[in-house]
Amino acid sequence: MSDFNDFNNPRVAQLPKHLRQFIVDQNYAKYTPVDQAVWRYVMRQNYSYLKDVAYYPYIKGLQRAGLSIEYIPDLQTMNDNLGKLGWGAVTVDGFIPPAAFMEYQAYHVLVIAADIRQINHIEYTPAPDIIHESAGHAPIIADADYNSYLSYIGSIGAKAMFSAKDFELYEAIRALSILKEAVDIPEFEITKAEEQLKDISANMGEPSEMALLSRLHWWTVEYGLIGSLNDPKIYGAGLLSSIGESSSCMSKNVKKIPYTIDTINYSYDITKTQPQLFVTETFQNLIDVLEQFADTMSFRKGGTESIRKAMDSKNPATAVYSSGLQVTGVFSDMGQNDSGELTFIKTTGPSALSFADRQLDGHGKLYHKDGFSSPVGKLKNTGTALENFSSEELYTFGIIEGNTTELIFESGIQVSGTVKAVYKHGDHVILIAFEDCTVKESNGNILFQPEWGTYDMAVGSSIVSVFNGAADKEAYEEITYISDKQTEKIVYDESTTQLHHIYSTVRKIRAEGSDENELPALFKTLKTSYSHDWLCALEILEIVRYKGTNPGLEQEIRAYLEAKALVEPQHKKLIHDGMHVIENPVTQLITEED
């Protein structure tokens, strides 16, 4: 098994460095025999049930993605198979920021949490894990219409503006998910984290673009249904990977609502089962709704409100002038006239100028280390936007290298100085550099003065687009925010290690068809030393049921499990569902479908 992320996959190989920083080794050897048994139990349950309610033929989807029911997937194998479908996969440490998660999808790469849920969270975990990410997302990747939507919402999400509150919420969700999957965490710590998440969620203010888009993502990619309201099928990964909710979601208690743009009005709670789900008739409808929402986003609208969203994010964003010039930085201020139209924009700290997502030579964040500011709008008494000036018009306004001139904008902003250089792209003027320059507003407020050095004035009559992150991420060397809270690494005591050995021995007996004479002693040890365990007893029952050579042991195990189901209500459904699959073998169902 591979212990590294496969950069031979072309989709993974093209990932930029600001996304590669999230990648961790899968470290396949860390998966214990119990982990393997958890995977196998969930996958057998999933297929037994999902063969009737999943939209895409589940087992065929698993096989095409390089997954099996028997073993936790190896990333190398997944990449080899997903590569044939135009996708790739990487492993990460738990939750990553939403913008990064979306951007991975835009690059046609699945983000897979390297860890697997504990057995006490076998039905559902709020933490991302390899069951959810691989067994949920990967099997449906083979559907061309679906994976087109998945990559498209990723590309839209990568541009979505977020607020500083979104980061608080992300940290709270990540912290809670880590605590819930950790071992021996005091209940009061989990309660405290839940209360903190609840408090932040209740005080988010107006939802950001990313928050709204995350809702669309949640109700489609994670919890989506497709078909008719009366006979929907599951395609959402959250449902496909939850052996509890994939069943309960089909009950009449969970309201089914047609999927439209109104879905953005429904928030969600990752710690609870969903009270309603949304049904789309086709995957094309998902794209149509996404287009409706995208038309409201800053990257398509631009203007004052979009700059305000950039300021609220307190993180690098990019504003695009009508000339095509792109300004990247942390936006800190703006000016507007009585009509609410932008008159100038300002960034603080390292900033950069680009065109068509490529940084302009000499205009990186080291040169603009203290920020950037520039007017927005047309010059006074001219009907032509400055970016469209001809050589004659530039001459008329004194915009010639070495010439001293004064430009007065309709907003009243005055730029006076000696022209150092005029930058064009094609027929468009995009930037003018001045020496000995003074920039001031009509009220006399100074925006720039000569002793500050060269003044680089962006050219453009309006801001036509604003989006999250840098225009040229590689040149900007953008290091996306990474949480300092890491998932817990479990250290096993001697008793647990012995339980792992029992699981491993049982798997070997089943897989190799070897002598089952050890099973009575193994079952006795489980009863006496590991009475909390139920899954290994089920695995032993499966073997003796199929072998049929020890009916006495089979009857003893059945009685033991039925007794556990009576006194352990949290395990009742799990035990009975496991016994159902033993009586209705998954391998037989696979053969019938194939």
Side-chain angles (χ1 to χ4, degrees):
M1 297 288 187
S2 170
D3 286 336
F4 56 87
N5 286 289
D6 179 22
F7 287 93
N8 292 321
N9 180 294
R11 292 294 185 178
V12 178
Q14 70 177 344
L15 289 172
K17 59 189 173 186
H18 72 278
L19 291 181
R20 289 194 185 198
Q21 67 180 324
F22 291 104
I23 300 173
V24 299
D25 286 339
Q26 183 184 21
N27 187 17
Y28 196 91
K30 76 183 176 193
Y31 299 125
T32 70
V34 176
D35 293 335
Q36 295 286 1
V38 166
W39 170 272
R40 184 173 185 269
Y41 177 91
V42 171
M43 297 305 292
R44 282 163 58 84
Q45 290 296 322
N46 274 355
Y47 184 64
S48 178
Y49 176 68
L50 293 175
K51 65 183 176 63
D52 296 320
V53 297
Y55 167 73
Y56 192 79
Y58 193 70
I59 196 66
K60 291 180 181 177
L62 287 174
Q63 291 168 342
R64 292 193 69 179
L67 306 175
S68 80
I69 285 178
E70 291 296 319
Y71 293 96
I72 294 171
D74 163 51
L75 194 66
Q76 176 76 48
T77 304
M78 284 192 68
N79 264 307
D80 289 345
N81 283 270
L82 289 172
K84 299 172 186 176
L85 303 173
W87 282 72
V90 297
T91 43
V92 299
D93 182 46
F95 277 114
I96 65 173
F101 183 87
M102 292 284 195
E103 195 172 359
Y104 272 108
Q105 288 182 191
Y107 278 93
H108 291 78
V109 173
L110 289 180
V111 176
I112 298 174
D115 292 332
I116 187 168
R117 66 193 65 178
Q118 293 182 61
I119 189 171
N120 57 317
H121 294 151
I122 195 169
E123 289 188 279
Y124 170 78
T125 174
D129 79 328
I130 197 165
I131 292 179
H132 170 79
E133 306 295 352
S134 59
H137 290 292
I140 198 173
I141 284 292
D143 187 288
D145 290 338
Y146 173 76
N147 74 49
S148 293
Y149 170 70
L150 189 64
S151 61
Y152 189 44
I153 195 172
S155 65
I156 299 296
K159 296 181 183 232
M161 299 302 301
F162 48 80
S163 68
K165 281 284 187 181
D166 289 334
F167 275 107
E168 290 184 44
L169 183 65
Y170 158 71
E171 277 289 3
I173 290 173
R174 180 177 168 85
L176 177 61
S177 70
I178 290 173
L179 285 175
K180 286 202 167 189
E181 278 299 316
V183 177
D184 298 328
I185 297 296
E187 191 63 33
F188 78 87
E189 285 194 30
I190 295 177
T191 300
K192 181 181 177 181
E194 288 176 334
E195 288 299 322
Q196 184 177 13
L197 174 58
K198 183 178 179 181
D199 182 63
I200 293 173
S201 299
N203 294 280
M204 290 293 291
E206 190 72 19
S208 68
E209 289 179 357
M210 180 60 80
L212 294 176
L213 190 67
S214 293
R215 293 178 184 178
L216 295 185
H217 192 275
W218 181 265
W219 297 122
T220 58
V221 174
E222 298 295 349
Y223 279 81
L225 301 176
I226 188 169
S228 67
L229 290 178
N230 295 327
D231 185 29
K233 300 295 184 183
I234 296 172
Y235 72 89
L239 295 174
L240 290 175
S241 61
S242 171
I243 58 177
E245 201 163 1
S246 62
S247 175
S248 64
C249 77
M250 289 301 183
S251 73
K252 293 182 179 179
N253 295 330
V254 179
K255 188 176 181 181
K256 312 300 189 299
I257 303 172
Y259 182 74
T260 68
I261 190 65
D262 293 336
T263 304
I264 63 171
N265 298 317
Y266 290 80
S267 58
Y268 58 88
D269 184 343
I270 69 164
T271 67
K272 299 178 181 178
T273 56
Q274 309 310 312
Q276 76 281 310
L277 294 173
F278 297 86
V279 185
T280 184
E281 291 186 357
T282 63
F283 287 134
Q284 181 59 47
N285 180 54
L286 301 186
I287 293 176
D288 293 342
V289 169
L290 181 58
E291 280 294 319
Q292 281 183 268
F293 180 71
D295 284 341
T296 70
M297 294 173 64
S298 297
F299 83 97
R300 288 189 179 174
K301 294 192 72 173
T304 306
E305 185 57 34
S306 298
I307 292 294
R308 183 172 288 112
K309 290 178 181 178
M311 292 167 60
D312 288 342
S313 79
K314 298 180 173 60
N315 277 272
T318 297
V320 184
Y321 276 81
S322 51
S323 65
L325 184 73
Q326 298 166 311
V327 179
T328 294
V330 177
F331 286 83
S332 57
D333 199 4
M334 65 178 179
Q336 53 187 315
N337 60 23
D338 293 339
S339 300
E341 297 171 326
L342 284 169
T343 58
F344 80 91
I345 57 174
K346 180 181 179 181
T347 65
T348 299
S351 302
L353 306 181
S354 304
F355 189 93
D357 297 337
R358 290 292 178 266
Q359 186 172 289
L360 300 182
D361 290 342
H363 288 278
K365 64 180 186 179
L366 295 179
Y367 177 68
H368 295 288
K369 66 182 187 304
D370 298 319
F372 181 86
S373 66
S374 190
V376 179
K378 291 182 178 180
L379 295 180
K380 197 172 183 179
N381 300 322
T382 177
T384 304
L386 178 53
E387 62 258 39
N388 297 322
F389 270 21
S390 64
S391 297
E392 292 77 14
E393 288 171 310
L394 290 172
Y395 182 84
T396 300
F397 277 80
I399 307 174
I400 306 169
E401 289 185 16
N403 190 54
T404 299
T405 188
E406 180 179 76
L407 304 180
I408 302 177
F409 286 79
E410 290 180 340
S411 62
I413 292 177
Q414 300 175 30
V415 179
S416 305
T418 301
V419 178
K420 179 182 179 182
V422 178
Y423 296 82
K424 282 189 171 185
H425 193 279
D427 294 330
H428 293 293
V429 180
I430 63 173
L431 185 70
I432 302 173
F434 293 89
E435 298 287 8
D436 299 320
C437 187
T438 300
V439 182
K440 60 183 178 181
E441 295 181 286
S442 57
N443 60 8
N445 181 45
I446 300 295
L447 299 177
F448 193 90
Q449 47 196 20
E451 54 266 34
W452 294 354
T454 300
Y455 180 67
D456 297 291
M457 188 187 82
V459 175
S461 58
S462 62
I463 297 297
V464 297
S465 176
V466 180
F467 56 85
N468 167 58
D472 187 338
K473 290 182 170 64
E474 293 295 275
Y476 192 74
E477 297 180 343
E478 182 182 22
I479 302 300
T480 309
Y481 171 80
I482 296 181
S483 174
D484 58 4
K485 178 67 174 176
Q486 301 299 301
T487 54
E488 298 287 338
K489 306 307 175 188
I490 302 173
V491 178
Y492 300 103
D493 58 23
E494 185 176 346
S495 175
T496 304
T497 301
Q498 179 59 32
L499 178 60
H500 291 171
H501 177 71
I502 295 173
Y503 268 88
S504 180
T505 303
V506 171
R507 174 177 280 271
K508 183 177 180 181
I509 292 171
R510 182 183 65 247
E512 298 180 2
S514 53
D515 191 350
E516 66 268 24
N517 289 335
E518 290 184 77
L519 294 179
L522 293 174
F523 177 59
K524 181 178 179 180
T525 302
L526 283 174
K527 287 195 303 180
T528 56
S529 301
Y530 303 99
S531 59
H532 63 280
D533 183 85
W534 56 270
L535 181 53
C536 195
L538 270 175
E539 294 213 324
I540 295 175
L541 176 62
E542 177 187 348
I543 296 172
V544 297
R545 169 72 175 83
Y546 295 159
K547 292 279 188 179
T549 56
N550 195 335
L553 179 59
E554 178 182 349
Q555 185 176 359
E556 182 183 358
I557 298 173
R558 285 185 184 278
Y560 174 76
L561 287 169
E562 289 291 358
K564 285 184 76 67
L566 283 175
V567 299
E568 300 174 11
Q570 73 275 24
H571 295 146
K572 181 178 180 180
K573 185 177 185 301
L574 293 167
I575 291 170
H576 286 161
D577 287 351
M579 295 173 79
H580 173 78
V581 171
I582 290 173
E583 296 301 322
N584 301 274
V586 169
T587 51
Q588 179 182 341
L589 296 171
I590 293 172
T591 302
E592 289 174 355
E593 182 172 291
D594 289 347

